[in-house]
Every structure is written in structure tokens, then in C-alpha cells.
Amino acid sequence: MAEGDTGSDQRQNEEIEAMAAIYGEEWCVIDDCAKIFCIRISDDIDDPKWTLCLQVMLPNEYPGTAPPVYQLNAPWLKGQERADLSNSLEEIYIQNIGESILYLWVEKIRDVLIQKSQMTEPGPEVKKKTEEEDVECEDDILLTCQPENPVRALDFDVSENQTDRRSTFQAHLAPVVCPKQVKMVLAKLYENKKIASATHNIYAYRIYCEDKQTFLQDCEDDGETAAGGRLLHLMEILNVRNVLVVVSRWYGGILLGPDRFKHINNCARNILVEKNYTNSPEESSKALGKNKKVRKDKKRSEH
């Protein structure tokens, strides 16, 4: 019994850290001990027309056998509209029992708000921009799926440094389509003396196998206990594919406690978003359901 509780608690903590990294100031801790959180969701971050607050309480049995307890708060949300949205959230839970679903819930609500905004005030320019962004994202995925292009496979992008109490964090990202490329990119990265001298080089990768429709994925703590698993969990929630993320940490002599995981996730999330590796919520939901069994098996093999 205790082992199950510990595993559930760890998965909850990983999800909470990932959500805080993804949503920043929109994510609010109401009661840390009771695992109650609130997230402000809007149709447009810069110019919101419709906003809703989702409050969730994570029971001990979540995500294994129980859903989050939730409340939808918006003065305009009533009657059939509220019932439809609640049904959508419950449907997502049923399709993904045993999985972390807060990200899918938030993005489903955002989808509803965007649709509501477009219906009440049609905006063809906004729609066109969305289509263009989707095309760019697809092109990115297609480029990373071509193993005959080894030069691109060895390219890597670097994020801006994050510093806290003399510790410095920096993320590196590279497209990969097979484990061999992961080794090649890491070898290339460690040729840089500064990166090679980092206290920790935490990494995680996810490669999509088209023929089996499953993910090949792994992670490395490099001495920063549990950091690799947390990074991989963030990448799973964002449903990124064919990419390796390495976060280097140079220790500054002052212990950061749990804040170090926040910085690692923030660095990784920023570079994944910047380089268009994050998918639409619909793709995330489909992939989460499709690859649920494989990912569970993978987790079992790692413990």
C-alpha cells in the first residue's frame, strides 16, 4: 500500500512541476499540502475575451485510479454550456485512465474558449495565423524524421541561461530519429569544454516509431537524482517527438532544494516552445491514448 502511495505522490509532484513550468503565472498553488491548484485559462494571453478558472484537487489515488476533483469558475458558464464542458473533461479522463491529464484538461478548456471567441466575434486573421503555425509545426516534424540528413541531426539549439543563487542552468535541443543519433549529439555536445565541465548534464529524448506507432524514450539524471525522469515527464505531457533535450547545470555552492527541478523544467519547456516542438492539444490527446500502454511498460522497466 505504502509503495503505491509513494509512486502516486511522485507522479503527482512531477506533473505539478511540469504544469508550473508550462503555464508560469497562470498556474497558482491554493493549498500545497492538500494538493489544490487553480489555473487561469483564456482564449488569448495578450488580449483575452473569455476567461475561466479551473480549480483542481488531486486525491491520493490520482492518476492511478481516480480523477482530479475539479471546479469550473466563470460567471458566464451556465446550464448546457457548463454540462458540455464537464462532459468533455470527463471523457478525456475516461480515455486516459491512469495517465496525467491536467494539461489535456487545460488545453481542452482553452479550445472551447477560442471557439467561443471565434463564434461571438469572427476573426479570420486569427484563424489564418493558426493554420500557418500548424503548417510550420508539421514541417518541423517532417524535417526531423529524415535520418538521411545527418547534418541536421547534429545541429543543436541553445537556450538563454537561467541563474539562481549562483547556480546556472542552460538547455540544449537537437532533433533525433534514432538512439544512435542521440549518442552522436551527446558526443558532439560534450566536445564543448564548458558543457562537459557542468556539474550535471540531465537529458531526455523521445523518438516516434511510425511503423509501430509507439515512442522510444529514455532519460539520464547524471547525478541530479530524479531530474531525468521529471524532464521526460514534461516532454510526455507536451507530447514532443523526435527530439533530445539536455539541461546543463553548473552548481554555484548553494543548495536550491526543489527549485532546481523548476529551473530544469523551465529551461526545457522554453526551448521546446521556441523551436515549435509542442503539439496541439488534439494531437496530445490522441497520442496519449494511443501510446498509453507502451509508456506504462517503459515506466515499469525503469524502476
Side-chain angles (χ1 to χ4, degrees), residues 82-143:
R82 176 181 287 274
D84 289 345
L85 185 51
S86 294
N87 287 340
S88 294
L89 299 188
E90 281 149 29
E91 190 178 325
I92 288 171
Y93 169 70
I94 290 165
Q95 289 172 350
N96 301 285
I97 287 175
E99 297 298 320
S100 305
I101 58 165
L102 294 184
Y103 175 76
L104 296 180
W105 273 13
V106 171
E107 291 307 321
K108 176 61 185 177
I109 293 169
R110 198 185 306 281
D111 268 1
V112 169
L113 297 181
I114 289 168
Q115 286 170 16
K116 191 174 175 64
S117 176
Q118 288 171 348
M119 282 166 60
T120 53
E121 190 177 324
E125 288 180 11
V126 174
K127 191 170 188 300
K128 186 181 176 195
K129 184 183 173 191
T130 305
E131 285 168 358
E132 284 172 1
E133 284 173 356
D134 286 348
V135 169
E136 282 173 18
C137 202
E138 283 169 15
D139 288 347
D140 244 7
I141 290 168
L142 286 172
L143 278 168

Side-chain angles (χ1 to χ4, degrees), residues 26 40-52 76 110 113-114 117 121:
E26 292 180 319
R40 183 178 176 274
I41 309 160
S42 58
D43 59 323
D44 187 317
I45 292 171
D46 298 323
D47 183 24
K49 295 184 183 69
W50 297 95
T51 301
L52 182 150
W76 52 266
R110 198 185 306 281
L113 297 181
I114 289 168
S117 176
E121 190 177 324

Side-chain angles (χ1 to χ4, degrees), residues 3-272:
E3 283 183 16
D5 291 347
T6 304
S8 180
D9 198 49
Q10 182 182 335
R11 290 183 68 190
Q12 285 187 15
N13 289 337
E14 288 176 358
E15 184 175 17
I16 290 161
E17 286 165 8
M19 293 293 285
I22 293 166
Y23 294 111
E25 292 179 359
E26 292 180 319
W27 174 265
C28 176
V29 179
I30 305 292
D31 187 331
D32 205 9
C33 294
K35 297 281 176 73
I36 301 173
F37 308 93
C38 182
I39 180 159
R40 183 178 176 274
I41 309 160
S42 58
D43 59 323
D44 187 317
I45 292 171
D46 298 323
D47 183 24
K49 295 184 183 69
W50 297 95
T51 301
L52 182 150
C53 286
L54 169 69
Q55 185 171 306
V56 293
M57 190 273 283
L58 306 182
N60 292 334
E61 299 81 11
Y62 171 80
T65 56
V69 178
Y70 71 94
Q71 190 175 325
L72 300 167
N73 299 319
W76 52 266
L77 188 66
K78 292 172 183 158
Q80 192 58 46
E81 207 168 15
R82 176 181 287 274
D84 289 345
L85 185 51
S86 294
N87 287 340
S88 294
L89 299 188
E90 281 149 29
E91 190 178 325
I92 288 171
Y93 169 70
I94 290 165
Q95 289 172 350
N96 301 285
I97 287 175
E99 297 298 320
S100 305
I101 58 165
L102 294 184
Y103 175 76
L104 296 180
W105 273 13
V106 171
E107 291 307 321
K108 176 61 185 177
I109 293 169
R110 198 185 306 281
D111 268 1
V112 169
L113 297 181
I114 289 168
Q115 286 170 16
K116 191 174 175 64
S117 176
Q118 288 171 348
M119 282 166 60
T120 53
E121 190 177 324
E125 288 180 11
V126 174
K127 191 170 188 300
K128 186 181 176 195
K129 184 183 173 191
T130 305
E131 285 168 358
E132 284 172 1
E133 284 173 356
D134 286 348
V135 169
E136 282 173 18
C137 202
E138 283 169 15
D139 288 347
D140 244 7
I141 290 168
L142 286 172
L143 278 168
T144 61
C145 285
Q146 294 174 8
E148 68 270 17
N149 187 349
V151 178
R152 180 171 172 81
L154 285 178
D155 286 346
F156 49 84
D157 295 289
V158 182
S159 74
E160 290 184 10
N161 290 352
Q162 287 189 21
T163 306
D164 181 7
R165 285 163 278 180
R166 298 207 297 266
S167 272
T168 302
F169 300 82
Q170 186 179 55
H172 318 273
L173 174 151
V176 290
V177 293
C178 65
K180 185 179 178 183
Q181 284 183 337
V182 172
K183 290 180 181 177
M184 289 165 69
V185 172
L186 290 172
K188 185 74 177 171
L189 203 57
Y190 298 151
E191 285 177 13
N192 181 307
K193 288 180 181 177
K194 184 188 174 189
I195 294 168
S197 69
T199 317
H200 310 287
N201 282 303
I202 304 114
Y203 71 79
Y205 66 85
R206 299 190 84 220
I207 297 167
Y208 186 61
C209 308
E210 197 73 48
D211 53 341
K212 297 176 184 174
Q213 294 195 329
T214 56
F215 279 92
L216 181 64
Q217 58 187 38
D218 205 355
C219 59
E220 169 59 49
D221 293 340
D222 193 28
E224 187 73 286
T225 306
R230 285 168 151 86
L231 175 57
L232 182 58
H233 190 75
L234 172 71
M235 293 169 72
E236 286 178 345
I237 285 179
L238 292 172
N239 189 36
V240 298
R241 57 174 65 191
N242 301 332
V243 66
L244 163 72
V245 176
V246 182
V247 179
S248 302
R249 179 193 179 185
W250 290 269
Y251 178 58
I254 301 171
L255 295 172
L256 301 186
D259 282 352
R260 65 194 190 279
F261 299 124
K262 178 181 74 176
H263 294 305
I264 291 163
N265 272 359
N266 278 337
C267 280
R269 183 256 176 188
N270 289 345
I271 200 167
L272 285 165

